[in-house]
Amino acid sequence: MIEIAHVSKSFRPKVALSNVSFNIKKGTITGLLGPNGAGKTTLIRLMNLMIIPDDGFIKFEGQLLKENHLKEIGYLPEERGLYKELSVKQQLLFFAKLRGLTSEEAERGALYWIERLEMSEWSHKKTESLSKGMAQKVQFAVAVVHDPKFLILDEPFTGFDPVNIDLIKQLLFEFRDAGKTILLSTHNMQRVQDICSHIILVNKGQLIANDAINDLLDKFERKHFMVAYRGTSIGFANALWTDFELLEQTERSDGVVEAHLLKRGAKSVDDLINNLKGHVSIESIQRAPINMEEVFLKLIANTTEI
């Protein structure tokens, strides 16, 4: 859907992007990640033709990105941009026509999204009178009212309560299943892990990672284990020797003790089991689950070990 090829952009003397290349696959939800000042906003502006690259090029469905492609792109900016004096419906009609829809198409799209996002009661109210959450719904509707193929969403869940967060998540899954492509920029790593199948990570203007989330998580070997056992804590600690460090443990009401361990060196689960045999009765052993926040921090720190 989108190809970024050797793109560089400077705002002298600052280099915002340096020789960045990646593809965004059609029908996927991809997370655009990076710390503040990493280059995410510059990438988003380039894909919306707000600015042009100093070097490299951007393609949309195999063609060099041009103004006529903007009608196929929906954009939800982090800094919201609604007209306070317009009503909800007027807002949607205005932006739909800006994206090239006829009056009839704009009317149909506006009515659909007003109903779909449960805004009928507020459709004729001015934007300035809306709550933050309701205004956010309008902004989301503005981004999708023209039925774009490619959606760029910058922190789309800001201002939403849990019910509306779930509503937007379900809409994103519907868009994906319908073949639309979504680029989601957010600092919420749990949201990325729940919604996205791929991530693009930039830092200091450079591409750090461009992977399927599952593949990326698999690259990191976890050093932490959770063990549930029956027996004495002294016997358990003695069985660990110097191969594993006991970080903490708690005893459940059923007498089972849960322990959090850190392995040292190249020791494996098999080594842990062999150490514990004859000392305690093992109920379960599992690797402590890894999450995107940990991976994000490690990638930014330029390490490959957790």
Side-chain angles (χ1 to χ4, degrees), residues 179-197:
K180 296 184 185 297
T181 306
I182 301 167
L183 183 65
L184 173 65
S185 179
T186 180
H187 291 291
N188 189 317
M189 294 298 110
Q190 188 58 54
R191 202 86 71 214
V192 170
Q193 196 161 344
D194 290 344
I195 297 175
C196 301
S197 59

Side-chain angles (χ1 to χ4, degrees), residues 64-83:
L64 286 175
L65 181 65
K66 295 182 179 179
E67 285 190 10
N68 64 293
H69 292 127
L70 293 180
K71 65 180 182 294
E72 304 289 356
I73 298 175
Y75 175 41
L76 173 64
E78 183 176 13
E79 297 296 329
R80 309 315 187 206
L82 298 175
Y83 294 97

Side-chain angles (χ1 to χ4, degrees), residues 2-8 17-24 43 55-57 200-202 205-210:
I2 293 290
E3 179 186 355
I4 308 289
H6 308 291
V7 165
S8 296
L17 295 172
S18 178
N19 195 30
V20 171
S21 297
F22 60 82
N23 294 327
I24 301 175
L43 272 171
D55 293 297
F57 59 86
I200 293 164
L201 173 62
V202 292
Q206 297 185 327
L207 181 69
I208 304 300
N210 177 22

Side-chain angles (χ1 to χ4, degrees), residues 74-91:
Y75 175 41
L76 173 64
E78 183 176 13
E79 297 296 329
R80 309 315 187 206
L82 298 175
Y83 294 97
K84 296 180 180 180
E85 292 298 316
L86 294 182
S87 70
V88 170
K89 184 178 180 181
Q90 288 172 333
Q91 204 91 230

Side-chain angles (χ1 to χ4, degrees), residues 87-90 114 119-126 130:
S87 70
V88 170
K89 184 178 180 181
Q90 288 172 333
I114 286 171
M119 299 188 295
S120 298
E121 185 179 342
W122 293 271
S123 65
H124 297 294
K125 292 187 177 180
K126 291 183 179 181
L130 302 179

Side-chain angles (χ1 to χ4, degrees), residues 128-245:
E128 63 183 355
S129 69
L130 302 179
S131 67
K132 184 176 181 180
M134 189 58 64
Q136 177 71 341
K137 278 189 177 183
V138 177
Q139 189 78 65
F140 182 86
V142 163
V144 300
V145 67
H146 57 296
D147 194 26
K149 295 179 180 179
F150 179 45
L151 272 172
I152 303 172
L153 306 177
D154 196 351
E155 297 292 356
F157 299 100
T158 301
F160 282 143
D161 58 30
V163 172
N164 283 306
I165 287 174
D166 187 63
L167 172 61
I168 299 302
K169 283 172 62 175
Q170 293 308 312
L171 284 172
L172 297 188
F173 292 142
E174 287 181 22
F175 290 155
R176 177 202 62 194
D177 294 343
K180 296 184 185 297
T181 306
I182 301 167
L183 183 65
L184 173 65
S185 179
T186 180
H187 291 291
N188 189 317
M189 294 298 110
Q190 188 58 54
R191 202 86 71 214
V192 170
Q193 196 161 344
D194 290 344
I195 297 175
C196 301
S197 59
H198 295 72
I199 66 109
I200 293 164
L201 173 62
V202 292
N203 189 30
K204 297 180 180 179
Q206 297 185 327
L207 181 69
I208 304 300
N210 177 22
D211 294 273
I213 286 182
N214 290 337
D215 292 343
L216 186 60
L217 295 177
D218 287 343
K219 292 179 181 179
F220 289 82
E221 182 185 3
R222 191 67 161 152
K223 287 186 173 182
H224 293 256
F225 294 91
M226 301 302 296
V227 179
Y229 72 91
R230 293 182 184 274
T232 66
S233 57
I234 294 177
F236 181 78
N238 289 339
L240 298 178
W241 296 94
T242 59
D243 297 337
F244 298 86
E245 179 184 351

Side-chain angles (χ1 to χ4, degrees), residues 235-245 261 263-264 267-282 285:
F236 181 78
N238 289 339
L240 298 178
W241 296 94
T242 59
D243 297 337
F244 298 86
E245 179 184 351
L261 306 179
K263 77 169 185 174
R264 294 191 173 101
K267 296 300 178 179
S268 66
V269 175
D270 290 338
D271 293 321
L272 178 56
I273 293 172
N274 290 332
N275 281 17
L276 295 177
K277 281 181 179 178
H279 295 275
V280 296
S281 174
I282 302 171
I285 296 178

